[in-house]
PDB file of all heavy atoms in Angstrom:
ATOM      1  N   PHE J 136      15.101 130.016 160.772  1.00 98.00           N
ATOM      2  CA  PHE J 136      15.519 128.616 160.685  1.00 98.00           C
ATOM      3  C   PHE J 136      14.355 127.736 161.100  1.00 98.00           C
ATOM      4  O   PHE J 136      13.906 127.812 162.253  1.00 98.00           O
ATOM      5  CB  PHE J 136      16.703 128.438 161.629  1.00 98.00           C
ATOM      6  CG  PHE J 136      17.262 127.045 161.789  1.00 98.00           C
ATOM      7  CD1 PHE J 136      18.259 126.572 160.942  1.00 98.00           C
ATOM      8  CD2 PHE J 136      16.859 126.241 162.847  1.00 98.00           C
ATOM      9  CE1 PHE J 136      18.825 125.312 161.131  1.00 98.00           C
ATOM     10  CE2 PHE J 136      17.418 124.980 163.046  1.00 98.00           C
ATOM     11  CZ  PHE J 136      18.404 124.514 162.191  1.00 98.00           C
ATOM     12  N   THR J 139      11.832 122.960 164.159  1.00 98.00           N
ATOM     13  CA  THR J 139      10.800 122.464 165.072  1.00 98.00           C
ATOM     14  C   THR J 139       9.420 122.459 164.413  1.00 98.00           C
ATOM     15  O   THR J 139       9.066 123.401 163.699  1.00 98.00           O
ATOM     16  CB  THR J 139      10.744 123.370 166.312  1.00 98.00           C
ATOM     17  OG1 THR J 139      12.059 123.422 166.875  1.00 98.00           O
ATOM     18  CG2 THR J 139       9.766 122.860 167.345  1.00 98.00           C
ATOM     19  N   SER J 145      11.763 118.086 170.493  1.00 98.00           N
ATOM     20  CA  SER J 145      13.028 117.471 170.905  1.00 98.00           C
ATOM     21  C   SER J 145      13.476 116.387 169.932  1.00 98.00           C
ATOM     22  O   SER J 145      14.652 116.049 169.877  1.00 98.00           O
ATOM     23  CB  SER J 145      12.891 116.876 172.309  1.00 98.00           C
ATOM     24  OG  SER J 145      12.653 117.902 173.249  1.00 98.00           O
ATOM     25  N   TRP J 169       7.294 127.869 166.501  1.00 98.00           N
ATOM     26  CA  TRP J 169       8.296 128.454 167.401  1.00 98.00           C
ATOM     27  C   TRP J 169       9.520 128.945 166.640  1.00 98.00           C
ATOM     28  O   TRP J 169      10.643 128.672 167.046  1.00 98.00           O
ATOM     29  CB  TRP J 169       8.771 127.431 168.452  1.00 98.00           C
ATOM     30  CG  TRP J 169       7.757 126.995 169.430  1.00 98.00           C
ATOM     31  CD1 TRP J 169       7.309 125.732 169.629  1.00 98.00           C
ATOM     32  CD2 TRP J 169       7.064 127.821 170.380  1.00 98.00           C
ATOM     33  NE1 TRP J 169       6.371 125.715 170.631  1.00 98.00           N
ATOM     34  CE2 TRP J 169       6.214 126.989 171.104  1.00 98.00           C
ATOM     35  CE3 TRP J 169       7.084 129.194 170.671  1.00 98.00           C
ATOM     36  CZ2 TRP J 169       5.371 127.463 172.114  1.00 98.00           C
ATOM     37  CZ3 TRP J 169       6.263 129.666 171.669  1.00 98.00           C
ATOM     38  CH2 TRP J 169       5.420 128.802 172.376  1.00 98.00           C
ATOM     39  N   SER J 171      12.014 131.723 165.564  1.00 98.00           N
ATOM     40  CA  SER J 171      12.507 133.078 165.839  1.00 98.00           C
ATOM     41  C   SER J 171      12.721 133.827 164.528  1.00 98.00           C
ATOM     42  O   SER J 171      13.227 133.240 163.560  1.00 98.00           O
ATOM     43  CB  SER J 171      13.844 133.019 166.597  1.00 98.00           C
ATOM     44  OG  SER J 171      13.691 132.317 167.797  1.00 98.00           O
ATOM     45  N   THR J 373      16.469 121.184 175.013  1.00 98.00           N
ATOM     46  CA  THR J 373      16.084 121.510 176.394  1.00 98.00           C
ATOM     47  C   THR J 373      17.193 121.078 177.364  1.00 98.00           C
ATOM     48  O   THR J 373      18.088 120.298 177.028  1.00 98.00           O
ATOM     49  CB  THR J 373      14.775 120.794 176.793  1.00 98.00           C
ATOM     50  OG1 THR J 373      15.044 119.385 176.845  1.00 98.00           O
ATOM     51  CG2 THR J 373      13.643 121.068 175.813  1.00 98.00           C
ATOM     52  N   ASP J 375      16.909 118.990 179.696  1.00 98.00           N
ATOM     53  CA  ASP J 375      16.903 117.520 179.805  1.00 98.00           C
ATOM     54  C   ASP J 375      17.643 116.883 178.630  1.00 98.00           C
ATOM     55  O   ASP J 375      18.413 115.941 178.805  1.00 98.00           O
ATOM     56  CB  ASP J 375      15.453 116.984 179.763  1.00 98.00           C
ATOM     57  CG  ASP J 375      14.603 117.488 180.912  1.00 98.00           C
ATOM     58  OD1 ASP J 375      15.148 117.713 181.997  1.00 98.00           O
ATOM     59  OD2 ASP J 375      13.378 117.656 180.708  1.00 98.00           O
TER      60      ASP J 375
HETATM   61  P1  FAD A   2       9.074 118.841 173.757  1.00 63.99           P
HETATM   62  O1  FAD A   2      10.073 118.197 172.855  1.00 63.99           O
HETATM   63  O2  FAD A   2       7.643 118.459 173.605  1.00 63.99           O
HETATM   64  O3  FAD A   2       9.521 118.567 175.262  1.00 63.99           O
HETATM   65  C1  FAD A   2       8.622 118.697 176.365  1.00 63.99           C
HETATM   66  C2  FAD A   2       9.357 118.205 177.617  1.00 63.99           C
HETATM   67  O4  FAD A   2       9.683 116.818 177.467  1.00 63.99           O
HETATM   68  C3  FAD A   2      10.677 118.943 177.840  1.00 63.99           C
HETATM   69  O5  FAD A   2      10.871 119.152 179.222  1.00 63.99           O
HETATM   70  C4  FAD A   2      11.724 117.947 177.339  1.00 63.99           C
HETATM   71  O6  FAD A   2      12.983 118.105 178.010  1.00 63.99           O
HETATM   72  C5  FAD A   2      11.072 116.619 177.703  1.00 63.99           C
HETATM   73  N1  FAD A   2      11.547 115.530 176.849  1.00 63.99           N
HETATM   74  C6  FAD A   2      11.415 115.395 175.506  1.00 63.99           C
HETATM   75  N2  FAD A   2      12.029 114.283 175.088  1.00 63.99           N
HETATM   76  C7  FAD A   2      12.555 113.695 176.189  1.00 63.99           C
HETATM   77  C8  FAD A   2      13.336 112.516 176.420  1.00 63.99           C
HETATM   78  N3  FAD A   2      13.703 111.716 175.409  1.00 63.99           N
HETATM   79  N4  FAD A   2      13.705 112.226 177.699  1.00 63.99           N
HETATM   80  C9  FAD A   2      13.370 113.040 178.722  1.00 63.99           C
HETATM   81  N5  FAD A   2      12.642 114.175 178.564  1.00 63.99           N
HETATM   82  C10 FAD A   2      12.247 114.482 177.322  1.00 63.99           C
HETATM   83  N6  FAD A   2      12.881 126.028 166.811  1.00 63.99           N
HETATM   84  C11 FAD A   2      13.334 126.218 165.546  1.00 63.99           C
HETATM   85  O7  FAD A   2      13.410 125.289 164.740  1.00 63.99           O
HETATM   86  N7  FAD A   2      13.743 127.454 165.140  1.00 63.99           N
HETATM   87  C12 FAD A   2      13.692 128.537 165.965  1.00 63.99           C
HETATM   88  O8  FAD A   2      14.087 129.648 165.560  1.00 63.99           O
HETATM   89  C13 FAD A   2      13.190 128.365 167.286  1.00 63.99           C
HETATM   90  N8  FAD A   2      13.050 129.445 168.103  1.00 63.99           N
HETATM   91  C14 FAD A   2      12.404 129.293 169.316  1.00 63.99           C
HETATM   92  C15 FAD A   2      12.075 130.416 170.074  1.00 63.99           C
HETATM   93  C16 FAD A   2      11.378 130.283 171.263  1.00 63.99           C
HETATM   94  C17 FAD A   2      10.985 131.481 172.040  1.00 63.99           C
HETATM   95  C18 FAD A   2      11.051 128.979 171.737  1.00 63.99           C
HETATM   96  C19 FAD A   2      10.324 128.794 173.054  1.00 63.99           C
HETATM   97  C20 FAD A   2      11.364 127.861 170.994  1.00 63.99           C
HETATM   98  C21 FAD A   2      12.030 127.998 169.767  1.00 63.99           C
HETATM   99  N9  FAD A   2      12.283 126.893 168.945  1.00 63.99           N
HETATM  100  C22 FAD A   2      12.780 127.064 167.676  1.00 63.99           C
HETATM  101  C23 FAD A   2      11.800 125.562 169.336  1.00 63.99           C
HETATM  102  C24 FAD A   2      12.645 124.869 170.388  1.00 63.99           C
HETATM  103  O9  FAD A   2      13.830 124.394 169.857  1.00 63.99           O
HETATM  104  C25 FAD A   2      11.791 123.762 171.006  1.00 63.99           C
HETATM  105  O10 FAD A   2      10.797 124.386 171.795  1.00 63.99           O
HETATM  106  C26 FAD A   2      12.618 122.791 171.815  1.00 63.99           C
HETATM  107  O11 FAD A   2      13.495 122.046 171.007  1.00 63.99           O
HETATM  108  C27 FAD A   2      11.727 121.823 172.621  1.00 63.99           C
HETATM  109  O12 FAD A   2      10.736 121.268 171.834  1.00 63.99           O
HETATM  110  P2  FAD A   2       9.192 121.307 172.343  1.00 63.99           P
HETATM  111  O13 FAD A   2       8.880 122.691 172.748  1.00 63.99           O
HETATM  112  O14 FAD A   2       8.372 120.659 171.305  1.00 63.99           O
HETATM  113  O15 FAD A   2       9.203 120.415 173.664  1.00 63.99           O
END
Side-chain angles (χ1 to χ4, degrees):
F136 176 89
T139 305
S145 296
W169 294 120
S171 302
T373 67
D375 298 328

